[in-house]
Amino acid sequence: TRSLCDWSSDVCSSDLLEAVVAGGADAIQIREKDLAPVALLERTRAVIEIARPAGVAVVVNDRADVAAAAEADGVHLGQHDLPVEQARRVVGALALVGGSAHDLAEADRLVAAGCDYAGVGRFAESDTKPNATEAGPAFVRAFTDAHPDLPHLVIGGVGPENIDDVIAAGGRGSRSVRRSAPPPIPRKSWPDCGSRCNRPWPATSRRRGTPDDRGSLGRPLRDRHVERSEEHTSELQSHSDLVCRLL
């Protein structure tokens, strides 16, 4: 979320993105609430250009149409965005569709709709979700107890100082916003937090087939790319061109 970063718009964001990639992040979520569709499309393509060669997945917040047009790896939906089923029709079967859950009722709806992963929180005080209820470790425990096979990221106020609390509550992955912004450009936080969250998913996970598969979203997102045949890639490009014309 560029608006939350203490840096000038004249500063090239590629330095930060490259630092995030070098630091070990395995997925980048583009969360720009105020950008117009065309500007968001350009931003997404610029991020993909840096992230994809390194095997880092890119997910667009809210806008399934922009995710499809940019050929991003997936879309993350809020409570007032397109329903999961309709968003999947836009981005296609090979892209991941995730959503936010602030309580078990919302989590149950995501699971019933066939969501690929969930953002679980708010875990702690957060500038990106100032009005959301601070669910804390209790909700993470309740979520993992109710939906142990659903991949998830614990969101909202998560950083190196409380990542152990996330893990103790059963969290297997986390998302950071302000922690990723300079100054200084970080290079050590993600390997530390990532390795500490990197616990196996259950062997019965519907998105992962073996106990050796890990908890981060980066692997399933990258695996989707490996699964794409030339036919699928051509179909996705045609879909992307259509959405671009509509934008």
Side-chain angles (χ1 to χ4, degrees), residues 39-222:
L40 180 58
L41 176 62
E42 293 173 353
R43 176 74 55 80
T44 303
R45 285 175 168 167
V47 172
I48 289 173
E49 186 175 349
I50 293 173
R52 186 156 292 163
V56 175
V58 177
V59 175
V60 178
N61 210 64
D62 303 335
R63 298 297 299 261
D65 54 343
V66 173
E71 299 182 63
D73 299 281
V75 62
H76 185 88
L77 304 171
Q79 297 304 313
H80 303 294
D81 297 325
L82 282 176
V84 172
E85 300 91 334
Q86 279 66 47
R88 198 178 297 283
R89 294 180 63 183
V90 175
V91 298
L94 294 178
L96 291 190
V97 177
S100 296
H102 304 94
D103 55 45
L104 280 181
E106 291 179 356
D108 292 343
R109 286 195 291 270
L110 289 178
V111 172
C115 216
D116 294 307
Y117 74 91
V120 181
R122 177 184 83 168
F123 189 77
E125 183 178 354
S126 170
D127 291 329
T128 61
K129 294 181 177 290
N131 299 319
T133 301
E134 188 172 315
F139 176 47
V140 176
R141 292 190 194 95
F143 174 89
T144 54
D145 286 344
H147 304 291
D149 295 345
L150 183 66
H152 62 268
L153 295 174
V154 179
I155 62 176
V158 177
E161 74 283 355
N162 61 4
I163 191 65
D164 287 332
D165 296 331
V166 171
I167 296 167
R172 298 191 185 94
S174 66
R175 184 189 70 186
S176 173
V177 178
R178 270 195 181 276
R179 315 290 178 173
S180 306
I185 292 178
R187 292 183 182 274
K188 296 182 179 179
S189 295
W190 295 284
D192 183 40
C193 292
S195 63
R196 287 151 72 186
C197 277
N198 202 18
R199 299 193 294 114
W201 291 95
T204 56
S205 171
R206 64 187 181 90
R207 308 304 304 183
R208 296 166 173 77
T210 71
D212 293 331
D213 288 329
R214 298 299 179 177
S216 73
L217 292 181
R219 176 169 294 185
L221 285 167
R222 288 193 296 269

